[in-house]
Amino acid sequence: MKLGLIIPHSCLLPSSSCFCLRFLPPVDNNLNLSFPVGQRQVKLRVIPVICSKSKLLQSNLMEPGAEMVNKRNLYSPIEPYNTGNLKVSDIHTLYWEQSGKPDGHPVVFLHGGPGGGTAPSNRRFFDPEFYRIILFHQRGAGKSTPHACLEENTTWDLVNDIEKLREHLKIPEWQVFGGSWGSTLALAYSQTHPDKVTGLVLRGIFMLRKKEIDWFYEGGAAAIYPDAWEQFRNLIPENERGCFVDAYHKRLNSDDLETQYAAARAWTKWEMMTSYLLPNNENILKAEDDKFSLAFARIENHYFVNKGFFPSDSYLLDNVDKIRHIKTTIVQGRYDVCCPMMSAWDLHKAWPEAELKIVDDAGHSANEAGIAAELVVANEKMKALMG
């Protein structure tokens, strides 16, 4: 009889194991359970066993096509075991950190923005008993120096920085994880260095095309958030509203620091107010942190004015063939206003080999419950592939 109940491992069991129950014909002991079948009760004998996941997948306990129940909760908070600074140019020095398992499978986390930096919670998407987790702050962001600097700060500088960090840490190849702008950078990096990427987990797809910028910064998303848009719009005089990205660029690069801060707060607040399906006050308050907002707004705007430093509007889509072979999961919130689902769908149509997971009750943020769960699941699947 091929019957079994599979219970995901708890903290009492190693991550390679499961707690299983075998159901066999009944005997006269207290391990029998009754199950209703139609109008009658069927008795089965229950035997608890601990078995490895790999053996279980190959055993006759699982019918063909059945899947393991995947972990969906974030891992517990952890601290880095190693931090450092890497000088990547005459101007820029990057902060980096490592956490998790020192000899585990390496994964690099690419943060959003650009200019957003990382947070301790970013480590929680990964199993610390399997992954060697690398986080770093991109040029001008977070703890990297100089702060909010736009000089020598392009997509291709960042792609080169990722390679420099990989070589500095003596990592032959790694999994790449990125959301929002991090998905843009992950695509650019993997298309440039496909031989260094073991797998991709992407979230909130952003390919920095004109229609994506116009949607969010030139009035499209205002149809959904007119109240938040009004605050963003009102900083700019009517005679400069033909292009908000250019108008903000002028203020974010003003000689007057207070003008920069005012523009940075308004730019950042617009994104923070629209990044969750349901408003998140803690997220919105980030806009009041002038240091964070200045880097976030200045660097984002710098990249957007320069069209991401890509040679063509559809560059990332046009180069999908270079990474078609890489195992990839795309996680996308159905109601993502910042990076609307059209971009994930366009990427999916160009790259059907990549798995697309649509979260129907989520917006943009990786911290929304449904998106966070699917990101954990995606990493668990990568674990299974890498053994």
Side-chain angles (χ1 to χ4, degrees):
M1 179 178 294
K2 292 184 180 179
L3 289 172
L5 174 65
I6 305 161
I7 301 174
H9 70 81
S10 71
C11 61
L12 298 176
L13 298 176
S15 60
S16 59
S17 300
C18 296
F19 182 76
C20 310
L21 300 178
R22 287 183 184 272
F23 297 106
L24 301 169
V27 294
D28 293 326
N29 62 29
N30 60 3
L31 289 177
N32 294 336
L33 288 179
S34 293
F35 296 89
V37 178
Q39 299 298 314
R40 62 195 182 91
Q41 293 285 321
V42 174
K43 284 190 174 183
L44 292 173
R45 177 162 50 101
V46 182
I47 299 178
V49 295
I50 293 175
C51 49
S52 73
K53 290 180 182 176
S54 58
K55 289 182 179 178
L56 179 63
L57 285 167
Q58 299 168 7
S59 76
N60 63 3
L61 262 179
M62 295 192 73
E63 296 288 354
E67 292 187 359
M68 291 287 295
V69 177
N70 288 297
K71 176 180 171 63
R72 299 180 64 85
N73 298 324
L74 292 170
Y75 283 91
S76 298
I78 54 172
E79 293 299 319
Y81 64 79
N82 187 217
T83 65
N85 294 285
L86 178 64
K87 191 169 180 59
V88 291
S89 78
D90 290 341
I91 297 173
H92 290 276
T93 299
L94 307 186
Y95 166 83
W96 58 266
E97 65 171 54
Q98 298 188 88
S99 57
K101 186 178 182 182
D103 61 349
H105 186 84
V107 58
V108 61
F109 180 99
L110 304 182
H111 67 68
T118 66
S121 59
N122 299 148
R123 306 167 195 142
R124 300 183 62 191
F125 295 113
F126 312 97
D127 180 354
E129 295 183 3
F130 179 86
Y131 279 111
R132 176 183 176 186
I133 306 159
I134 296 101
L135 275 58
F136 75 98
H137 293 168
Q138 296 158 28
R139 295 190 180 202
K143 297 179 182 178
S144 292
T145 58
H147 184 72
C149 177
L150 306 183
E151 191 176 351
E152 293 183 11
N153 197 337
T154 73
T155 301
W156 306 112
D157 289 320
L158 301 189
V159 166
N160 290 336
D161 290 349
I162 297 169
E163 269 299 274
K164 289 175 182 176
L165 180 60
R166 184 188 62 78
E167 292 170 355
H168 176 71
L169 298 176
K170 297 180 172 55
I171 294 172
E173 56 185 10
W174 50 11
Q175 180 182 321
V176 178
F177 180 109
S180 194
W181 158 257
S183 75
T184 320
L185 186 56
L187 289 167
Y189 172 76
S190 60
Q191 289 174 4
T192 307
H193 300 283
D195 58 320
K196 301 298 187 291
V197 180
T198 60
L200 285 163
V201 175
L202 308 174
R203 186 267 311 166
I205 299 301
F206 179 48
M207 293 182 285
L208 231 151
R209 296 172 296 173
K210 184 179 186 302
K211 68 178 183 179
E212 298 170 51
I213 299 297
D214 286 351
W215 158 260
F216 193 63
Y217 291 105
E218 303 299 339
I224 300 172
Y225 286 96
D227 48 348
W229 173 257
E230 192 170 285
Q231 298 176 51
F232 177 79
R233 180 199 66 195
N234 286 352
L235 187 80
I236 306 301
E238 286 192 22
N239 64 345
E240 293 186 59
R241 292 178 184 176
C243 179
F244 283 94
V245 172
D246 285 346
Y248 268 90
H249 184 261
K250 175 182 173 182
R251 287 156 179 80
L252 289 166
N253 291 277
S254 168
D255 292 334
D256 178 54
L257 188 57
E258 285 307 314
T259 300
Q260 289 189 32
Y261 281 141
R265 285 191 291 268
W267 177 283
T268 304
K269 189 173 184 179
W270 164 239
E271 185 162 337
M272 297 302 118
M273 290 182 74
T274 54
S275 59
Y276 281 73
L277 179 61
L278 300 176
N280 183 292
N281 289 329
E282 183 179 348
N283 198 54
I284 294 169
L285 285 173
K286 287 182 181 179
E288 303 304 316
D289 180 341
D290 283 341
K291 183 178 181 182
F292 171 81
S293 288
L294 192 65
F296 186 76
R298 273 174 55 85
I299 298 172
E300 271 199 346
N301 179 273
H302 167 69
Y303 274 69
F304 300 165
V305 162
N306 287 286
K307 301 177 174 60
F309 304 93
F310 293 121
S312 67
D313 194 54
S314 58
Y315 179 83
L316 295 175
L317 283 176
D318 295 342
N319 285 276
V320 161
D321 279 347
K322 295 178 180 178
I323 56 175
R324 195 173 297 280
H325 63 286
I326 298 174
K327 176 66 177 175
T328 300
T329 299
I330 300 165
V331 177
Q332 179 69 38
R334 167 77 67 181
Y335 300 108
D336 188 335
V337 174
C338 302
C339 299
M341 192 179 137
M342 64 179 177
S343 298
W345 190 251
D346 289 346
L347 183 59
H348 171 64
K349 298 299 284 187
W351 192 9
E353 297 86 353
E355 179 184 16
L356 174 62
K357 297 292 293 184
I358 299 168
V359 183
D360 285 327
D361 59 350
H364 178 67
S365 176
N367 296 318
E368 293 184 75
I371 291 180
E374 291 298 341
L375 292 173
V376 171
V377 169
N379 286 327
E380 294 296 295
K381 289 180 179 178
M382 290 289 180
K383 276 171 51 180
L385 289 172
M386 291 179 282

